Amino acid sequence: MNILVGGAAVVAIAWSAQVGAADQCAADGEPIQWVADYCMLKMETDDEIAVSGCIKEERKKTFPSDCASNLHFKKSMCEAMISNGTKTGTVDQCVKDPTFKGRVVEAGGVGA
C-alpha cells in the first residue's frame, strides 16, 4: 500500500512538472511584437512604418497558438542571423535561448 501511494505521488509530481513546462513558451511575448521584430530584421530597419506592409502580410499566417506563432518568428530570426553571421551557434540553441529576442519584444511594444 505504501508503495502505491509513493508511486502515485511520484506520478503526480512528474505530471505537474510536465504541465508547468508545457505552460512555458521559449518565445514569450505578444505575437504582434515577434512579427514586428521579424519584419524589422528582414527589412533591416527599425522604422515601424516602413515594415507595416511586411507586418500586414505576416499577420495573415495562422498558427495553433500564440506560442507557436512566436516560435515561428523567433526561429526565422535565428535562421536569418546565423545565416548572415551576426549570431553564432545553431538555430536550435538560438530558439532555446530565453535571452534572444528583438527590441520590440524586449521593450514590450513599439516605442515602449
Side-chain angles (χ1 to χ4, degrees):
M1 180 93 166
N2 288 339
I3 294 172
L4 180 57
V5 171
V10 169
V11 169
I13 290 168
W15 179 80
S16 130
Q18 288 176 349
V19 169
D23 290 341
Q24 184 64 28
C25 183
D28 288 333
E30 295 297 319
I32 187 65
Q33 296 168 354
W34 281 99
V35 172
D37 278 330
Y38 166 75
C39 286
M40 288 179 184
L41 175 66
K42 178 180 173 183
M43 299 184 72
E44 300 180 354
T45 183
D46 61 356
D47 180 351
E48 63 265 16
I49 295 170
V51 299
S52 62
C54 174
I55 291 171
K56 183 177 178 181
E57 284 304 307
E58 294 299 329
R59 294 282 290 165
K60 291 179 183 178
K61 295 179 179 176
T62 58
F63 299 93
S65 68
D66 286 354
C67 182
S69 174
N70 293 356
L71 286 171
H72 167 79
F73 291 105
K74 183 174 184 176
K75 181 179 179 189
S76 295
M77 290 170 64
C78 288
E79 289 170 342
M81 292 184 74
I82 290 169
S83 176
N84 72 21
T86 57
K87 180 129 182 85
T88 60
T90 67
V91 171
D92 190 50
Q93 289 169 328
C94 177
V95 170
K96 289 178 181 176
D97 178 358
T99 65
F100 178 79
K101 53 187 88 171
R103 285 183 234 149
V104 176
V105 173
E106 184 72 37
V110 176

